[in-house]
């Protein structure tokens, strides 16, 4: 009897060891979640007054990134960096748009063009992964016979001809994404912000259920092979997501569908609104609950299929709202977290500087895929830090948007604005405050000049330990000369690696 028990014990131990080794060697599934215009205080672990259990699960079961900043605080260049691991300044489309000796204008124009560049989807696909993209794209649209904003003006989303035309636009957009970004599965996508998709006015509503549906279906279809899902929400970006929760749930980015989506994959919209109010929270926070439940539906599918343990989930916002489209920290610092229960210890916080351009090299590190020699990566692999095996090898982060660039360290932030010669010829000492950092004679698009008193200074330096809200420009104070020179040298080195100039920066002294 004792011999039999010993034999059974050895067999069980051998099987357990084999299963453990199989878990160690099996490629992880990867879900990269990117939400739109979400502030730090709209996620529970970062200070939201209302719990967000599903988003928080990512942080609590893995690592909360306490100092994550995007490399470009506006939709398109931020998403370019998330998909490629590169700064937007390397985007190939800019080579055709701007002279090499002038600063490039970085806003909604950094498109991934068909056949021009590789993304993380290409790399994973080449190494046996099935890849999927759902939700917001905003990195290039197929050409149209007229501006998208002018398509279907005065018409209704319920018109049959409108739906026919939208389906053709949608098919073209899906084909564009597959060709430009390398994804196998592209479904339920929004090619741009809602007003710029050809949707009539009564169809410009968010639909989180529609995005969630595609994400859940992708996981189900590919449960038996390694998969990578890029899951991108359109909320909490404008137009009002709360208004969207109160309209026909059949309204989608492709027109009016047959299926009533409300309550299908998530609690009903009315239930989420009523629960938010019943718990004493403002009605507007129902939007965050809507977003959170969309992520919860992904978790439910993973849990049901037994895939959660070996799935790496990366979560972040594309940028903040306060000071949006500037390099100030309120715009570039985002809620972010990474989990992978099979490998990463739960309940950690990473305080080192990190960025959305780190996601690509981190995924490559997690999957043991070597970065091809011809693939440019600006981010760093976070895996050693996430596993507690080492620190992040980084001295600074670089940020860029419109005609502003910055260098951020843990203690200081240098911000510079440089206009192209055409704009600079119009600027004088007397009228400088008439020009935004977009180089236009108007008020800042998002009101940043009212938040930051030094907005119009071409060179700014902030001591973040003493001035975390960046209100006091210390660039002329002699005691900060050494720090200024150090950050400016980092700017020189970074810009020198890009095709285009940025004022005096780019030449190594």
């Amino acid at each position: 009897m004792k011999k039999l028990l010993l034999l059974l014990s050895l067999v069980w131990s051998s099987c357990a060891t084999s299963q453990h080794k199989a878990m160690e060697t099996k490629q992880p599934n990867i879900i990269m979640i990117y939400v739109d215009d979400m502030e730090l205080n709209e996620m529970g672990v970062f200070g939201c007054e209302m719990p967000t259990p599903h988003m928080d699960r990512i942080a609590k079961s893995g690592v909360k990134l306490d100092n994550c900043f995007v490399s470009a605080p506006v939709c398109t260049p931020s998403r370019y960096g998330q998909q490629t691991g590169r700064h937007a300044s390397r985007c190939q489309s800019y080579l055709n748009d701007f002279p090499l000796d002038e600063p490039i204008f970085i806003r909604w124009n950094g498109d991934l063009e068909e056949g021009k560049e590789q993304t993380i989807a290409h790399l994973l696909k080449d190494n046996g992964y099935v890849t999927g993209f759902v939700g917001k794209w905003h990195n290039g649209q197929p050409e149209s016979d007229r501006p998208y904003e002018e398509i279907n003006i005065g018409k209704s989303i319920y018109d049959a001809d409108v739906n026919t035309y939208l389906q053709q636009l949608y098919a073209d957009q899906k084909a564009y994404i597959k060709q430009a970004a390398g994804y196998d599965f592209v479904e339920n996508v929004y090619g741009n912000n809602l007003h710029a998709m050809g949707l009539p006015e009564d169809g410009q509503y968010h639909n989180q259920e529609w995005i969630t549906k595609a994400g859940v279906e992708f996981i189900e279809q590919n449960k038996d092979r390694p998969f990578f899902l890029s899951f991108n929400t359109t909320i909490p970006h404008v137009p009002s997501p709360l208004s969207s929760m109160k309209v026909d749930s059949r309204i989608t980015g492709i027109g009016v569908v047959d299926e009533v989506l409300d309550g299908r994959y998530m609690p009903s919209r009315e239930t989420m609104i009523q629960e938010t109010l019943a718990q004493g929270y403002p009605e507007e926070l129902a939007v965050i609950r809507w977003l959170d439940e969309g992520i919860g539906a992904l978790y439910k599918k993973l849990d049901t299929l037994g895939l959660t343990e070996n799935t790496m989930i990366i979560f972040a916002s594309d940028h903040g709202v306060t000071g949006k489209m500037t390099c100030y920290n309120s715009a570039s610092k985002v809620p972010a977290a990474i989990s992978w229960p099979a490998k990463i210890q739960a309940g950690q916080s990473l305080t080192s500087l990190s960025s959305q351009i780190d996601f690509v090299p981190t995924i490559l590190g997690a999957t043991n895929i070597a970065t091809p020699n011809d693939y440019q990566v600006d981010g760093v692999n976070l895996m050693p830090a996430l596993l507690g095996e080492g620190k992040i090898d980084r001295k600074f982060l670089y940020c860029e948007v419109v005609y502003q660039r910055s260098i951020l360290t843990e203690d200081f932030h240098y911000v510079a604005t440089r206009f192209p010669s055409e704009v600079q010829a119009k600027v004088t000492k007397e009228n400088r405050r008439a020009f935004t950092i977009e180089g236009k004679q108007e008020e800042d698009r998002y009101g940043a000049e009212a938040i930051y008193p030094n907005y119009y200074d071409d060179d700014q330096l902030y001591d973040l330990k003493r001035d975390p809200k960046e209100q006091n420009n210390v660039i002329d104070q002699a005691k900060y000369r050494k720090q200024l020179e150090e950050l400016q040298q980092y700017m020189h080195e970074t810009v020198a690696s890009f095709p285009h100039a940025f004022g005096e920066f780019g030449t190594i002294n």
Side-chain angles (χ1 to χ4, degrees):
M1 184 65 178
K2 289 183 178 179
K3 289 183 177 179
L4 178 60
L5 291 174
L6 178 60
L7 178 61
L8 290 173
S9 175
L10 290 172
V11 171
W12 179 88
S13 176
S14 176
C15 289
T17 301
S18 297
Q19 290 174 353
H20 180 66
K21 287 183 177 178
M23 175 66 79
E24 286 185 341
T25 57
K26 185 179 179 182
Q27 291 285 73
N29 302 310
I30 301 154
I31 299 177
M32 185 163 60
I33 301 171
Y34 222 42
V35 301
D36 201 2
D37 276 31
M38 181 176 172
E39 297 273 53
L40 276 172
N41 64 1
E42 291 180 321
M43 181 174 175
V45 294
F46 284 95
C48 184
E49 59 180 302
M50 183 184 73
T52 55
H54 306 299
M55 287 187 281
D56 290 353
R57 182 178 176 183
I58 303 169
K60 292 179 178 179
S61 65
V63 181
K64 175 172 170 266
L65 304 184
D66 282 327
N67 280 299
C68 187
F69 298 80
V70 293
S71 60
V74 73
C75 292
T76 301
S78 176
R79 292 165 191 277
Y80 175 89
Q82 175 230 17
Q83 291 288 325
T84 66
R86 297 188 286 275
H87 291 297
S89 280
R90 299 196 193 282
C91 183
Q92 294 296 298
S93 67
Y94 290 142
L95 293 174
N96 299 323
D97 298 339
F98 303 100
L100 296 181
D101 59 350
E102 294 276 17
I104 58 176
F105 183 74
I106 299 173
R107 195 175 62 186
W108 300 301
N109 52 343
D111 295 343
L112 281 164
E113 298 182 340
E114 300 176 67
K116 292 290 184 68
E117 299 188 61
Q118 286 197 317
T119 70
I120 183 60
H122 288 108
L123 302 186
L124 291 174
K125 185 176 179 178
D126 289 345
N127 285 273
Y129 276 77
V130 59
T131 60
F133 187 98
V134 303
K136 184 175 180 180
W137 167 245
H138 211 170
N139 278 116
Q141 289 177 291
E143 291 186 8
S144 172
D145 56 357
R146 59 191 185 278
Y148 277 79
E149 292 87 343
E150 297 177 7
I151 296 173
N152 294 319
I153 288 178
K155 296 184 178 181
S156 172
I157 193 71
Y158 294 97
D159 294 343
D161 63 322
V162 168
N163 276 261
T164 299
Y165 192 64
L166 288 175
Q167 288 169 20
Q168 182 58 56
L169 288 177
Y170 179 73
D172 292 344
Q173 182 69 75
K174 285 174 54 177
Y176 184 104
I177 295 171
K178 287 183 178 182
Q179 289 297 317
Y183 285 94
D184 303 301
F185 174 104
V186 177
E187 293 294 340
N188 297 17
V189 294
Y190 290 84
N192 204 313
N193 290 327
L194 299 181
H195 72 280
M197 288 176 49
L199 295 169
E201 189 172 350
D202 67 349
Q204 294 176 17
Y205 292 105
H206 304 276
N207 194 323
Q208 181 58 49
E209 290 86 357
W210 191 57
I211 295 173
T212 298
K213 169 184 166 71
V216 169
E217 290 178 348
F218 175 81
I219 294 170
E220 175 65 39
Q221 291 172 17
N222 299 287
K223 59 182 180 291
D224 297 322
R225 58 186 296 191
F227 65 75
F228 167 60
L229 172 63
S230 184
F231 184 86
N232 309 273
T233 74
T234 62
I235 59 175
H237 194 285
V238 296
S240 169
L242 183 59
S243 297
S244 297
M245 294 182 75
K246 299 178 180 181
V247 301
D248 186 350
S249 70
R250 297 176 303 145
I251 296 174
T252 73
I254 197 174
V256 179
V257 297
D258 294 331
E259 181 182 8
V260 176
L261 294 167
D262 189 20
R264 174 75 188 277
Y265 298 91
M266 305 149 58
S268 73
R269 297 175 179 184
E270 179 61 25
T271 296
M272 288 186 278
I273 292 172
Q274 292 307 316
E275 285 182 353
T276 301
L277 293 171
Q279 293 169 5
Y281 301 115
E283 186 181 36
E284 288 73 19
L285 281 180
V287 170
I288 302 303
R289 190 183 297 270
W290 196 24
L291 170 61
D292 193 57
E293 291 290 357
I295 293 169
L298 299 184
Y299 259 125
K300 182 178 179 180
K301 177 56 69 173
L302 292 173
D303 292 343
T304 300
L305 296 174
L307 298 176
T308 308
E309 183 77 5
N310 196 40
T311 297
M312 169 181 270
I313 300 180
I314 301 173
F315 173 92
S317 175
D318 63 346
H319 51 77
V321 177
T322 304
K324 177 179 174 178
M325 205 179 285
T326 73
C327 289
Y328 295 114
N329 286 347
S330 64
S332 61
K333 189 172 185 179
V334 295
I338 300 177
S339 71
W340 181 13
K343 285 284 188 180
I344 298 173
Q345 182 178 345
Q348 300 183 70
S349 290
L350 182 65
T351 59
S352 302
L353 295 174
S354 61
S355 171
Q356 103 283 14
I357 61 171
D358 297 335
F359 297 160
V360 166
T362 299
I363 290 170
L364 296 178
T367 55
N368 293 313
I369 296 173
T371 306
N373 291 333
D374 60 350
Y375 190 95
Q376 174 72 47
V377 171
D378 292 313
V380 301
N381 177 12
L382 301 179
M383 280 306 298
L386 300 179
L387 297 174
E389 298 173 352
K391 295 182 179 180
I392 298 175
D393 184 18
R394 167 177 279 140
K395 295 179 181 179
F396 64 91
L397 289 175
Y398 170 81
C399 184
E400 54 185 3
V401 71
V402 291
Y403 290 125
Q404 192 173 76
R405 313 287 185 261
S406 80
I407 296 291
L408 175 71
T409 66
E410 291 185 356
D411 296 327
F412 293 93
H413 194 194
Y414 170 64
V415 181
T417 300
R418 298 291 185 270
F419 296 129
S421 54
E422 181 181 1
V423 176
Q424 193 60 50
K426 303 174 185 177
V427 178
T428 65
K429 184 177 180 180
E430 292 72 26
N431 72 6
R432 174 63 185 85
R433 295 178 66 86
F435 289 83
T436 69
I437 60 173
E438 290 188 60
K440 297 180 179 180
Q441 291 179 282
E442 59 187 23
E443 293 183 353
D444 182 83
R445 188 180 299 268
Y446 298 106
E449 77 277 24
I451 305 170
Y452 296 99
N454 307 291
Y455 171 92
Y456 294 103
D457 292 350
D458 288 336
D459 291 275
Q460 304 162 40
L461 180 67
Y462 298 100
D463 183 341
L464 298 176
K465 296 298 184 184
R466 296 185 178 186
D467 180 25
K469 293 186 178 180
E470 300 176 304
Q471 299 294 292
N472 182 28
N473 184 6
V474 298
I475 198 158
D476 292 326
Q477 295 186 27
K479 66 178 180 179
Y480 292 107
R481 178 56 52 186
K482 180 179 179 181
Q483 289 85 357
L484 174 61
E485 291 176 351
E486 179 181 45
L487 270 62
Q488 287 180 327
Q489 184 62 23
Y490 291 152
M491 181 78 79
H492 275 292
E493 294 169 3
T494 303
V495 175
S497 71
F498 299 149
H500 294 86
F502 180 67
E504 74 275 23
F505 295 105
T507 303
I508 303 299
N509 295 328

